[in-house]
Amino acid sequence: MLGIELTPEHPVSRIAELGEHAESNGFDTVFSSCHYNNRDPFVALDRIATRTDDVRLGPGIANPYETHPVTLASRVASLDEASGGRAVFGIGPGDRSTIENLGFEHDKALRRVLEAFKVAQDLFDGERVDHDGTFDAVDAGLNFDVPSETIPVYVGGQGPHMIRMSAKHADGLLFNGSHPKDMAWAAEQVEAGLDERPAEHGEFDFAAYASVSLSSDAEAAREAARPAVAFIAAGAAPPVLDRHDIDRETAATIGEHISAGEFEAAFAAVTRKMIDAFCIAGTPDSVADRIDGVMEHADSFVAGSPLGPDLDEAIRLAGSVLRSRTDRA
């Protein structure tokens, strides 16, 4: 997979334009990020579908808290229908800071994610579902056929248990990592999960869902990375922060600013060390070197937010860098 994340902080017409631009620059999968304070990702993905021919499309990533898992499955199935069978189901526990803003406790995350996509797969297959677990469903079903024989499920995970679960049960992992140290650690968790993967589940795709910021101006690329890095640092587990020698209190303060809606303060608190750890930021040459390091451990690559200070230029540059790497391989 050669994927890209588009964040619907812009009007959906603009996101659709960028999705078309991504396809023309060699990307084969487009994810739309899912946060309640941005525009609806499924509306954006539908608009992208109307302007593209072949790219796969999916939420990156939806969570099974703010939307009931059966309803979420229906939305993904609707996207599959609208796009002519191009849907990808990106699902994960979501960002704790935004989930808590909506009154959810973010409890039993691994079970809820697993149960949500297993129920979705049954619904995609035309089954009616009764479920009593982290959520309830009684005789639930979809009143329309899903075009795809299989909608691939990619779990967005960072913790060891979520990663191992995805390798055992899902079609792929979207690991939010931009540094070889984190990718090497994640690869070990993937291997542990694959040891328990049933053969009938088929191949597994370990994708680096990496924050990228590209520009011909290296410092401009790094400055553009601040918002995305703030969210990543705020949600990073203590062992991840320690791995990169990042101060835990500073990361916690950034999270407090984000929860309070104090975004400028959160972005200003991001350190250069955080940018180095949590984003591949710089010129095409330096970004290419960093991607090579990440791809020593992963199967696929998704260029995630912010992409760069100029989105059109960033998509073009990212496509060129990633295509050249594929050509070398």
Side-chain angles (χ1 to χ4, degrees):
M1 175 170 55
L2 192 61
I4 192 167
E5 175 192 51
L6 300 177
T7 304
E9 58 188 328
H10 309 285
V12 291
S13 58
R14 172 62 170 153
I15 297 299
E17 180 182 70
L18 293 172
E20 183 179 23
H21 188 38
E23 182 177 61
S24 66
N25 278 276
F27 290 95
D28 58 39
T29 308
V30 175
F31 291 99
S32 179
S33 56
C34 305
H35 297 96
Y36 76 89
N37 47 7
N38 284 330
R39 293 160 181 83
D40 188 285
F42 286 97
V43 174
L45 290 164
D46 177 66
R47 295 289 183 88
I48 296 170
T50 65
R51 297 187 57 157
T52 56
D53 298 313
D54 299 311
V55 291
R56 296 185 299 172
L57 303 160
I61 55 172
N63 72 77
Y65 289 96
E66 59 185 304
T67 302
H68 190 284
V70 171
T71 303
L72 184 56
S74 176
R75 290 179 178 173
V76 173
S78 298
L79 174 64
D80 198 58
E81 180 182 75
S83 64
R86 291 187 276 149
V88 177
F89 189 7
I91 183 170
D95 293 327
R96 182 180 296 274
S97 59
T98 52
I99 292 296
E100 290 177 349
N101 285 151
L102 303 181
F104 296 106
E105 295 183 3
H106 209 257
D107 59 341
K108 300 178 181 177
L110 188 148
R111 276 191 58 201
R112 193 170 182 96
V113 170
L114 175 60
E115 291 176 10
F117 76 73
K118 287 293 187 182
V119 164
Q121 289 172 326
D122 290 340
L123 293 168
F124 297 157
D125 287 341
E127 299 180 21
R128 300 197 70 82
V129 173
D130 290 300
H131 184 77
D132 179 13
T134 57
F135 60 91
D136 296 329
V138 180
D139 193 28
L142 302 180
N143 294 335
F144 60 97
D145 294 328
V146 179
S148 297
E149 290 186 10
T150 302
I151 297 176
V153 173
Y154 278 75
V155 171
Q158 289 181 283
H161 301 297
M162 191 71 74
I163 294 172
R164 292 171 194 165
M165 181 275 284
S166 71
K168 182 178 179 180
H169 295 286
D171 297 296
L173 167 69
L174 299 173
F175 178 73
N176 190 345
S178 305
H179 196 284
K181 287 183 181 179
D182 297 320
M183 299 306 301
W185 173 84
E188 293 177 358
Q189 315 312 312
V190 168
E191 286 302 317
L194 290 177
D195 287 342
E196 301 180 1
R197 183 178 180 84
E200 61 268 23
H201 285 357
E203 295 184 359
F204 181 78
D205 184 17
F206 172 25
Y209 201 117
S211 176
V212 172
S213 186
L214 262 166
S215 174
S216 55
D217 181 336
E219 195 56 35
R222 292 178 66 85
E223 283 301 304
R226 285 182 174 275
V229 170
F231 278 90
I232 295 170
V240 177
L241 298 173
D242 294 344
R243 189 179 300 142
H244 297 285
D245 193 28
I246 291 172
D247 182 66
R248 294 186 184 187
E249 290 187 9
T250 303
T253 298
I254 290 172
E256 292 167 4
H257 285 312
I258 290 172
S259 293
E262 300 165 351
F263 297 114
E264 291 302 320
F267 303 159
V270 169
T271 65
R272 295 187 70 86
K273 188 177 288 186
M274 289 178 182
I275 294 173
D276 290 337
F278 299 136
C279 186
I280 301 175
T283 63
D285 287 342
S286 63
V287 165
D289 290 341
R290 282 285 302 276
I291 290 175
D292 283 344
V294 165
M295 292 306 294
E296 289 180 8
H297 308 285
D299 304 312
S300 295
F301 191 88
V302 179
S305 175
L307 300 181
D310 181 311
L311 290 176
D312 293 285
E313 178 192 43
I315 290 172
R316 178 179 60 79
L317 293 174
S320 177
V321 167
L322 291 166
R323 288 197 311 274
S324 66
R325 188 188 184 282
T326 301
D327 292 342
R328 292 199 307 274

